[in-house]
Amino acid sequence: TLWRGPLGRGMSWSSWLLAVSAARSAAPGGGGETQPGARSIPTRAALGGAQRPRQVVVLGMHHSGTSIVSKLLRDAGLYLGGDSELAWSRSNPLKYFERLDVNKLNRLVLEESAAARSHRHSRAPDWVHHGTDPQAILATLPKTAHDEIARVVSLLDGPTGMRPWAMKDPRLSLTAPLWMRELKAPLCLIVTRKGPLLGESLISRYPREPSESDSALSAIEWSWIQAVYESSATRACAGVPTVRVAHEELMHRPWPTLRRMLEDLSKAGVPISRNTTRIHRRAEEWL
């Protein structure tokens, strides 16, 4: 049976599965779907004496749980930005906790890249930026964009240049190579979600309209996009201390999963609050 994908091309189920596997395996540390609770935290010795991580980059596909994770990081003492600098949701207090300037800059970079322009007719929603090649962006990005990235990083670092902070935007999975060039003490926090479950969630959020029976994406196609995001994030984080959080565990065992995430960050050297009782109490209010 042929499936019309990814995003329009005829492909058999077996070919699609092989393609997804290749996309993930091509990334350092790849070789299959991340197991729930899987973690990869280089020891301090393995970091070669580098600064202890204080710049946490939250990576993950849309609807994977990055907002919940970012809120907890803020409760744990990491700086995300002032209230006026963050995007909020009126209907959902757990979203979005991402900086407006980071969001805007990522959108501009992705929309203006040559790779993005060549895929404007993709059936994927524009906010997915399907077909973007991060390496191609690196080669064509003007100096002004690099300067703006450096400016945002400087704001996050604070007056002393040593402030612990976190940054979140699902598009960072595609643009992370640009940001990593400006970070001196990064740590990647990758939030994963199983492709089929993510696809079902996105279909319920963005259903087919009666007149668009062939235009909306299937769960399989969303899974493909998720694999691209995940592999891109993993490649960008090669050689960087990394903590992984599985969405499935986050939903089924929220506080134990979040507590373990904080423990992993602390072990990696991120200066976060050790008052887990206070953090737990605050988390219970919104979990």
Side-chain angles (χ1 to χ4, degrees):
T1 302
L2 284 182
W3 163 61
R4 302 302 298 178
L7 314 186
R9 299 192 297 273
M11 179 179 286
S12 68
W13 275 88
S14 59
S15 297
W16 176 82
L17 290 171
L18 288 172
V20 170
S21 177
R24 286 178 171 143
S25 298
E33 187 164 345
T34 303
Q35 297 300 315
R39 295 167 283 174
S40 176
I41 312 172
T43 63
R44 292 294 299 278
L47 295 178
Q51 296 184 39
R52 71 174 188 171
R54 57 176 178 78
Q55 302 164 318
V56 179
V57 183
V58 181
L59 303 166
M61 174 66 178
H62 304 268
H63 293 260
S64 290
T66 54
S67 293
I68 293 177
V69 164
S70 298
K71 175 168 176 53
L72 186 79
L73 294 177
R74 195 185 199 204
D75 289 346
L78 294 187
Y79 180 75
L80 271 65
D83 288 351
S84 63
E85 298 175 304
L86 302 179
W88 304 92
S89 170
R90 295 181 179 179
S91 60
N92 188 343
L94 299 184
K95 290 183 176 291
Y96 293 94
F97 300 96
E98 55 193 55
R99 290 184 63 93
L100 295 171
D101 49 8
V102 172
N103 182 297
K104 180 180 179 180
L105 186 53
N106 282 334
R107 286 175 180 269
L108 289 174
V109 166
L110 292 170
E111 290 170 1
E112 295 305 317
S113 70
R117 288 197 298 273
S118 68
H119 287 79
R120 286 275 165 86
H121 299 294
S122 166
R123 294 195 299 111
D126 290 342
W127 49 266
V128 171
H129 303 287
H130 173 66
T132 301
D133 181 356
Q135 296 306 315
I137 295 176
L138 277 171
T140 59
L141 198 65
K143 182 179 183 300
T144 53
H146 288 288
D147 292 342
E148 183 63 14
I149 290 174
R151 184 191 70 82
V152 173
V153 171
S154 179
L155 287 175
L156 285 165
D157 282 340
T160 66
M162 295 297 290
R163 177 166 55 193
W165 53 261
M167 174 174 61
K168 171 258 179 182
D169 177 10
R171 297 164 192 82
L172 282 168
S173 294
L174 302 176
T175 64
L178 308 177
W179 294 88
M180 289 298 179
R181 294 169 55 153
E182 301 295 333
L183 303 184
K184 296 180 180 179
L187 178 142
C188 292
L189 178 51
I190 301 178
V191 187
T192 63
R193 187 173 185 180
K194 291 182 178 179
L197 296 177
L198 175 65
E200 292 173 5
S201 171
L202 288 164
I203 286 176
S204 66
R205 183 69 179 263
Y206 306 100
R208 286 180 170 86
E209 296 295 334
S211 60
E212 299 177 331
S213 59
D214 293 328
S215 62
L217 301 184
S218 67
I220 297 280
E221 290 169 313
W222 279 119
S223 296
W224 170 271
I225 294 174
Q226 188 268 349
V228 172
Y229 268 63
E230 185 177 324
S231 61
S232 176
T234 303
R235 281 195 300 271
C237 295
V240 175
T242 299
V243 172
R244 294 179 180 269
V245 179
H247 179 274
E248 291 71 33
E249 286 201 348
L250 193 57
M251 294 297 100
H252 295 140
R253 303 174 67 246
W255 174 244
T257 301
L258 292 170
R259 181 181 60 196
R260 184 175 61 189
M261 179 192 78
L262 293 177
E263 292 172 351
D264 288 346
L265 291 173
S266 181
K267 290 176 182 177
V270 178
I272 59 175
S273 171
R274 295 178 181 272
N275 190 345
T276 55
T277 300
R278 180 183 63 84
I279 298 172
H280 186 191
R281 189 185 313 114
R282 296 185 65 176
E284 281 186 326
E285 297 174 0
W286 50 263
L287 281 175

